[in-house]
């Protein structure tokens, strides 16, 4: 995950990629509108209080206690309390968001702020379709707390609002900024005299050298093989342009069977055919495969920029992990080699039934201040969506390479959001297809056919709300 002043220029047309699990309970939530008789806290709007926060209204914050921990949230809560000293904050953290909060959504008593993340995340499709989330639009037009002359929206990196919007309404505030790419150790490469390849043919030639040296060129999260869908789709987008992602996001017929996807799948099949993947990889989870990579058993791994923080306890000194773009298929690619996938992630929301919606919005305003964002980056070594907020913050080696990659990518950045709209499609259907494909049990045509059948099943399911992303 990452951040930096450079990112101001990184117009990565980002949209979200986020972990997820669980739907709202089978019975409908109580949705928006009437608060069911519970007290709703509202203050008087003013220049100093643009969101109308009731100064003594309590605020309840529920945090996902994952890789970022909860200390960063406690710091944000302290900043909120500095401005509203009469407000009592109830803080809690869990790894079981859906299990903990589904009953509260159903009975209309959710917290005011929810970090809806992790494996047990509540599916956003269900939340949005049941009108369970507050509109965050007012937050965007409020002035930044400490960036003079700018609204909150004007301080955010490109793509932040889009990734949290459904049918044009901003409902989810994604706080971190993540870059996805192919990771390698610059120390290993320097020691061996290898140079990262910019084209696919050069990549295959390099993989042959790496294998001849007794090292597996590749490993991946075998128990979460969707991690390998990211470089495949990225390769296709760079080859065919952003319309490749748009078609997939909008569940267009045969989007997964486009010429660009076929070219990408054919290319990536070569690392399977030539046995460039570490033996036993299909049985490894994400941490095990990442650890094998850190131990020098494999040269490349596909991951997001949370990798460095996740592996810090086992990464050898001087390993110098570096993110790089997917290699270009050839000179006909519509996007340059430097183009990378960048997206806002780590979703936060204010439930429509929250007692203190205004307080929730202002808590987000605190998070999105330069002070709040810098504190987060210092604590967890991850970038936020606040442009320039990491200026002056000492970043670890890997995160520095992420900033550099974003700067080089510039306005050529890209992303997709089908995984956000339709969690099941990526987490279940594409994941299963990737497992078959990268373990060598099926070829490229069958892989794309399985992905397309999965997308078609979502498109034809009338119980799933559909969304359209504009070009």
């Amino acid at each position: 995950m990452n951040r930096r002043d450079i990112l101001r220029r990184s117009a990565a047309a980002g949209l979200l990629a986020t972990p997820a699990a669980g739907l709202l309970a089978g019975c409908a939530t109580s949705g928006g509108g009437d608060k069911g008789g519970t007290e709703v806290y509202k203050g008087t709007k003013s220049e100093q209080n643009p969101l109308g926060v009731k100064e003594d209204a309590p605020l309840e914050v529920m945090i996902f206690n994952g890789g970022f921990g909860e200390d960063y949230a406690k710091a944000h809560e302290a900043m909120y309390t500095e401005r509203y000293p009469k407000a009592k904050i109830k803080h809690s953290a869990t790894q079981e968001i859906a299990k903990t909060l589904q009953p509260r959504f159903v009975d209309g008593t959710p917290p005011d702020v929810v970090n809806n993340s992790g494996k047990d995340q509540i599916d956003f499709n269900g939340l949005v379709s049941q009108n369970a989330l507050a509109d965050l639009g007012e937050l965007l037009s409020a002035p930044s707390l400490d960036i003079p002359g700018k609204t909150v929206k004007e301080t955010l990196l490109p793509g932040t609002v889009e990734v949290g919007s459904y049918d044009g309404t901003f409902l989810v505030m994604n706080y971190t900024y993540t870059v996805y790419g192919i990771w390698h150790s610059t120390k290993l490469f320097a020691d061996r005299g290898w140079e990262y390849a910019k084209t696919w043919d050069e990549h295959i030639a390099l993989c042959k050298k790496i294998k001849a040296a007794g090292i597996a060129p590749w490993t991946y999260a075998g128990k979460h093989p969707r991690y390998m869908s990211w470089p495949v789709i990225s390769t296709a987008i760079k080859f065919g342009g952003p319309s490749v992602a748009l078609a997939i996001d909008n569940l267009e017929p045969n989007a997964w069977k486009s010429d660009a996807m076929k070219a990408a799948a054919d290319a990536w099949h070569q690392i399977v055919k030539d046995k460039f993947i570490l033996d036993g990889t299909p049985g490894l989870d994400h941490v095990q495969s990442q650890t094998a990579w850190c131990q020098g058993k494999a040269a490349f791994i596909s991951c997001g920029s949370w990798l460095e923080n996740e592996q810090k306890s086992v990464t050898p000194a001087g390993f110098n992990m570096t993110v790089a773009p997917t290699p270009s298929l050839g000179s006909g690619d519509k996007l340059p080699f430097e183009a990378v996938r960048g997206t806002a992630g780590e979703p936060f929301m204010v439930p429509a039934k929250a007692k203190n919606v205004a307080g929730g919005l202002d808590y987000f305003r605190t998070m999105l201040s330069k002070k709040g964002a810098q504190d987060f980056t210092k604590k967890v070594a991850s970038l936020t969506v606040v442009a320039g907020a990491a200026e002056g913050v000492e970043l670890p080696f890997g995160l520095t390479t992420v900033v550099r990659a974003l700067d080089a990518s510039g306005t050529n950045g890209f992303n997709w959001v089908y995984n956000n709209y339709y969690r099941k499609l990526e987490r279940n259907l594409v994941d299963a297809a990737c497992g078959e494909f990268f373990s060598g049990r099926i070829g490229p045509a069958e892989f794309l056919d399985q992905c397309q059948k999965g997308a078609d099943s979502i498109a034809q399911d009338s119980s799933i709300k559909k969304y359209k992303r504009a070009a």
Side-chain angles (χ1 to χ4, degrees):
M1 321 208 142
N2 350 87
R3 169 93 325 114
R4 194 69 152 180
D5 175 50
I6 292 173
L7 303 191
R8 244 174 261 209
R9 307 197 300 264
S10 307
L15 294 82
L16 163 75
T18 165
L23 280 163
L24 282 176
C27 50
T29 72
S30 50
D34 176 52
K35 306 284 182 179
T38 58
E39 183 178 1
V40 179
Y41 300 109
K42 291 183 179 179
T44 302
K45 292 184 180 181
S46 66
E47 186 175 342
Q48 297 301 316
N49 186 7
L51 295 171
V53 178
K54 190 172 187 294
E55 295 187 0
D56 61 351
L59 185 75
E60 183 179 359
V61 179
M62 174 70 76
I63 297 297
F64 168 66
N65 194 6
F68 295 136
E70 56 181 311
D71 287 348
Y72 77 89
K74 291 178 179 177
H76 288 153
E77 290 160 12
M79 293 176 199
Y80 181 91
T81 304
E82 285 177 10
R83 295 170 50 238
Y84 303 108
K86 296 179 182 178
K88 182 178 180 181
I89 294 182
K90 179 181 179 182
H91 170 98
S92 55
T94 180
Q95 292 189 353
E96 298 180 315
I97 294 291
K99 181 179 178 181
T100 304
L101 293 184
Q102 278 176 346
R104 295 186 59 183
F105 271 96
V106 171
D107 67 17
T109 60
D112 303 304
V113 171
V114 178
N115 174 202
N116 186 30
S117 188
K119 188 173 71 171
D120 193 41
Q121 174 196 60
I122 306 174
D123 179 43
F124 277 106
N125 190 289
L127 288 166
V128 174
S129 64
Q130 295 181 38
N131 299 315
L133 303 182
D135 185 341
L136 306 181
E138 199 174 4
L139 166 69
L140 297 177
S141 58
S144 165
L145 277 176
D146 58 4
I147 302 177
K150 291 193 174 184
T151 64
V152 169
K153 183 177 182 179
E154 290 169 340
T155 68
L156 304 180
L157 287 169
T160 302
V161 175
E162 288 82 353
V163 74
S165 297
Y166 292 78
D167 290 336
T169 302
F170 185 47
L171 299 173
V172 182
M173 193 278 283
N174 293 282
Y175 191 52
T176 64
Y177 201 81
T178 303
V179 168
Y180 293 79
I182 297 174
W183 292 78
H184 67 280
S185 163
T186 53
K187 181 181 187 304
L188 173 65
F189 274 48
D191 289 348
R192 299 281 182 164
W194 299 332
E195 186 174 340
Y196 187 83
K198 292 185 176 182
T199 69
W200 189 256
D201 288 344
E202 291 170 352
H203 180 76
I204 294 302
L206 177 57
C207 284
K208 290 177 181 178
K209 287 183 183 178
I210 293 170
K211 186 175 181 180
I215 299 171
W218 272 90
T219 189
Y220 64 90
K223 293 185 178 180
H224 312 289
R226 65 183 178 277
Y227 278 46
M228 288 302 288
S229 71
W230 304 336
V232 174
I233 299 173
S234 294
T235 299
I237 292 171
K238 291 170 77 164
F239 179 75
S243 62
V244 173
L246 190 66
I248 289 174
D249 288 343
N250 290 339
L251 302 178
E252 292 181 11
N254 291 319
W256 288 88
K257 295 183 177 182
S258 66
D259 289 344
M261 285 299 298
K262 288 177 181 177
D266 286 343
W268 282 94
H269 190 227
Q270 193 165 353
I271 73 166
V272 181
K273 288 190 300 182
D274 291 351
K275 300 187 184 304
F276 288 154
I277 298 173
L278 178 69
D279 288 343
T281 287
L284 303 179
D285 63 20
H286 62 295
V287 173
Q288 290 169 328
S289 61
Q290 291 163 189
T291 300
W293 173 72
C294 284
Q295 292 169 342
K297 295 178 181 178
F300 299 116
I301 195 165
S302 164
C303 199
S305 49
W306 63 81
L307 176 65
E308 184 175 40
N309 192 56
E310 197 164 57
Q311 292 301 113
K312 62 184 178 182
S313 65
V314 298
T315 303
F319 184 80
N320 291 353
M321 63 176 68
T322 298
V323 69
T326 52
S328 301
L329 285 183
S331 59
D333 278 21
K334 292 189 177 179
L335 293 178
F337 161 75
E338 292 80 9
V340 294
R341 178 191 177 199
T343 179
E346 198 60 27
F348 285 75
M349 60 193 188
V350 174
K353 282 284 189 175
K355 290 183 179 181
N356 193 2
V357 169
L361 295 182
D362 212 76
Y363 179 80
F364 287 172
R365 192 165 162 242
T366 302
M367 293 175 67
L368 295 171
S369 65
K370 188 170 185 178
K371 179 181 178 182
Q374 283 191 335
D375 189 78
F376 178 85
T377 297
K378 289 176 183 176
K379 281 183 167 61
V380 305
S382 174
L383 302 182
T384 72
V385 295
V386 181
E391 183 180 353
V393 178
E394 185 176 352
L395 303 177
F397 189 93
L399 197 52
T400 300
T401 73
V402 169
V403 171
R404 201 159 55 229
L406 278 170
D407 183 43
S409 180
T411 58
N412 293 304
F414 59 88
N415 194 43
W416 54 87
V417 291
Y418 84 89
N419 52 309
N420 188 33
Y421 289 166
Y422 315 109
R423 176 191 175 277
K424 178 182 176 183
L425 180 52
E426 187 195 44
R427 289 287 178 127
N428 296 47
L429 306 172
V430 171
D431 189 69
C434 286
E436 295 292 293
F437 181 50
F438 283 99
S439 63
R441 289 189 289 270
I442 62 175
E446 192 173 353
F447 164 64
L448 296 178
D449 187 57
Q450 286 190 16
C451 292
Q452 188 59 52
K453 285 180 178 176
D456 291 343
S457 70
I458 299 292
Q460 294 160 10
D461 189 338
S462 60
S463 71
I464 299 175
K465 182 174 173 58
K466 311 303 188 301
Y467 302 97
K468 285 290 182 182
R469 179 164 75 87

